[in-house]
Amino acid sequence: MQARATTDAPAATGADTIAVGVFEGEDVAHDLEGAPLQALLESGEARRGFKKLALTHADGRRWLLVGLGARDAFDAERARVAAAVAHGRASELGARSLCWELPHHVPDPVAAGLVEGTLLAAYRYDAFKSDAGGDEDDARLGELIVSAHHDVSAAVDRAAVLAGAANAARDLQNAPANELTPSRLAQRARDIATELGLACEVLGREQILYSGMGAFSGVAQGSEQEPQLITLRYAPEDAVGPVLGLVGKAVTFDSGGISIKPGSGMSNMKFDMSGGAAVLEATAAIARLKLPVRVISVIGAVENLPSGRALKPGDIVRARSGTTIEIINTDAEGRLVLADCLTHAREQGAERLIDVATLTGAMTVVFGSVYAGLFASDDAWADTVREAGERAGEELWRLPLHPDYAEAIKGRYADIVNAVEDRKAGSIVAAEFLKRFTGDVPWAHLDIAAVGWDRGRAYAAKGGSGFATRTLVEVATALAENAAR
């Protein structure tokens, strides 16, 4: 879907469907081009409550009156939800072009929210549908226009890039594991690098092993699929501020290995590469937006499968950092991959670190599908990341780190263990494990296991959510802006 901004009146845009929002306690600012919108409110057919919809026709167009609720509660996230609701109704009506009249006296992030909510809600994954490209596709909404009294094109264009990046990450998430192998993910990285002029390096099994990444290569032992260590570098000439290191877990299928998972729900383990998808597509968005910040993105792509070669509970591996790790549970594989990837990112020059991973199912117990867990070694960096998530509508809740949790991973036969058998504080213990490999670089860990898919949002209800993609772009934007001050 194309998105653009205009200062033309909604009726002058040529859109076949126009959405107009109204706040509680307010009336329609004016009856646009004769559309009897105020009459809908006065008759009670339309209501001002959040997400309430009413439809009328005038001058050969459809007009949607959208309740926005209280003005003081309306922000970019509520704009996303309202836009998703309006998109759903417009699509039911067979709309081809939708114009939103930007509510008066709202900030530009609301305009961005309307774009993101519409484009994210319009997402479909039908690569393997036999009837894809048929009559239903021909009837899909193809254009979004935001009409405002002032120029909001910068906000609209940026939002379209962010939503496009999140949808690209969802394509990767939703792809089946037999299609999206580690090698296919590496090819996507190469394609992005070619398109946007990034540096790209991909290491295979032998190179990963030769590099001393015994934790990463250990996870890869059980699968015939070639593991891939993907490194992307974005370094514009006008870059300012610290080098941002983005690290993503991309286990393209996680059976649990020898510590095999229950069969119920295992098909969802194709989503265990969601962190890597977010890092990859966020890197592309940062480059498309030409943000003046240097980025090193490291993605560990691998399958975790049981076989005669697979890691066994009780095995000991040596990470790139020299730390030895006893394997207590082969289903705690993501932290092994990330251990070597974090070390690699530091060695490549990262001065700020964020890793993104569907790391622990315990997050779902704690947060449902609302928050992702945020862990950090630096308070200022934690605030930067959390505030970025807030702007993106991707809520992050900071959880503690503590020496007592770090004590729990001390090993009997090796330096540390990859899991604790009593399962206490599983997400925090996993974060403490990762912290061992971050040195003195300010670091944040996003555990997105609860929000990576089936998030239940109006604009991302089922399947991959693309969570963290937009947050990472917001972090890069904040780094650049702070450095320029």
Side-chain angles (χ1 to χ4, degrees):
M1 183 190 301
Q2 299 297 314
R4 64 182 176 89
T6 183
T7 54
D8 291 341
T13 63
D16 57 52
T17 305
I18 297 172
V20 178
V22 60
F23 291 107
E24 289 177 355
E26 300 182 18
D27 291 328
V28 177
H30 45 76
D31 255 357
L32 297 169
E33 304 295 333
L37 301 179
Q38 186 64 32
L40 285 176
L41 288 170
E42 293 171 354
S43 70
E45 185 175 346
R47 289 176 287 172
R48 299 172 177 84
F50 185 51
K51 300 192 291 184
K52 302 298 183 182
L53 291 178
L55 170 69
T56 190
H57 295 77
D59 297 332
R61 297 181 182 85
R62 307 176 191 89
W63 297 77
L64 285 173
L65 196 60
V66 185
L68 302 181
R71 180 181 279 274
D72 61 3
F74 195 74
D75 56 10
E77 179 60 13
R78 282 207 151 198
R80 292 181 192 102
V81 173
V85 171
H87 169 269
R89 185 68 177 118
S91 296
E92 290 173 356
L93 296 167
R96 301 297 299 277
S97 178
L98 172 65
C99 175
W100 262 94
E101 185 195 37
L102 187 67
H104 296 179
H105 313 299
V106 298
D108 285 1
V110 168
L114 293 175
V115 174
E116 291 177 2
T118 303
L119 270 58
L120 292 170
Y123 173 82
R124 299 290 183 274
Y125 184 75
D126 53 15
F128 293 88
K129 291 282 189 179
S130 299
D131 56 356
D135 293 342
E136 184 178 338
D137 283 348
D138 292 340
R140 282 185 186 175
L141 189 62
E143 181 183 39
L144 171 66
I145 305 164
V146 178
S147 170
H149 291 296
H150 66 288
D151 183 9
V152 294
S153 57
V156 166
D157 292 347
R158 182 178 186 275
V161 171
L162 266 64
N167 285 342
R170 293 163 89 182
D171 276 345
L172 296 173
Q173 291 180 277
N174 290 326
N178 61 325
E179 173 69 19
L180 191 79
T181 61
S183 295
R184 291 287 180 87
L185 191 64
Q187 187 56 52
R188 171 63 181 160
R190 292 187 185 97
D191 291 344
I192 287 172
T194 299
E195 176 192 353
L196 299 172
L198 309 183
C200 180
E201 177 185 63
V202 178
L203 303 184
R205 190 186 304 273
E206 294 304 319
Q207 294 163 302
I208 292 168
L209 187 60
Y210 182 76
S211 297
M213 298 184 183
F216 185 1
S217 62
V219 175
Q221 287 175 199
S223 174
E224 294 181 2
Q225 291 290 339
E226 186 85 357
Q228 307 278 264
L229 177 65
I230 303 162
T231 305
L232 285 170
R233 294 178 180 84
Y234 168 67
E237 292 182 359
D238 60 347
V240 292
V243 179
L244 176 60
L246 304 179
V247 178
K249 170 190 172 185
V251 179
T252 59
F253 189 79
D254 179 20
S255 71
I258 296 296
S259 307
I260 197 164
K261 295 176 180 289
S264 177
M266 194 190 286
S267 62
N268 283 332
M269 288 302 97
K270 70 177 185 176
F271 292 120
D272 211 23
M273 40 63 66
S274 297
V279 166
L280 180 55
E281 298 301 340
T283 306
I286 290 166
R288 288 192 176 95
L289 292 170
K290 296 180 170 59
L291 296 181
V293 59
R294 291 166 293 169
V295 179
I296 296 169
S297 296
V298 178
I299 299 165
V302 66
E303 283 187 339
N304 184 28
L305 294 178
S307 76
R309 299 187 305 272
L311 278 179
K312 305 173 295 298
D315 285 356
I316 293 176
V317 298
R318 187 181 297 275
R320 166 76 177 173
S321 67
T323 301
T324 57
I325 306 164
E326 182 183 357
I327 309 304
I328 301 300
N329 188 324
T330 65
D331 194 23
E333 87 297 331
R335 65 201 72 180
L336 298 174
V337 174
L338 290 172
D340 282 336
C341 288
L342 285 164
T343 299
H344 183 65
R346 288 170 51 212
E347 291 175 343
Q348 296 302 305
E351 297 169 321
R352 297 289 187 279
L353 280 171
I354 305 175
D355 75 74
V356 187
T358 49
L359 204 66
T360 62
M363 282 288 98
T364 304
V365 178
V366 176
F367 291 135
S369 56
V370 178
Y371 286 95
L374 165 64
F375 303 82
S377 60
D378 180 273
D379 290 343
W381 186 230
D383 288 343
T384 296
V385 177
R386 180 186 54 77
E387 290 164 5
E390 187 174 308
R391 290 191 297 276
E394 296 179 331
E395 293 91 340
L396 309 173
W397 191 278
R398 189 177 181 187
L399 290 163
L401 297 170
H402 190 278
D404 286 357
Y405 296 119
E407 186 75 18
I409 62 170
K410 284 189 175 179
R412 176 183 298 177
Y413 303 109
D415 296 329
I416 56 176
V417 294
N418 80 321
V420 291
E421 294 186 287
D422 64 14
R423 302 177 67 85
K424 291 180 179 178
S427 299
I428 301 175
V429 169
E432 287 285 2
F433 180 98
L434 296 180
K435 184 174 180 288
R436 291 272 308 220
F437 300 91
T438 62
D440 58 359
V441 176
W443 157 79
H445 160 56
L446 305 185
D447 190 335
I448 65 168
V451 291
W453 65 92
D454 293 352
R455 195 176 176 212
R457 290 294 169 96
Y459 50 81
K462 297 292 184 181
S465 67
F467 193 98
T469 308
R470 292 178 294 120
T471 292
L472 296 178
V473 180
E474 294 288 359
V475 169
T477 302
L479 275 183
E481 290 175 349
N482 291 340
R485 290 190 182 122

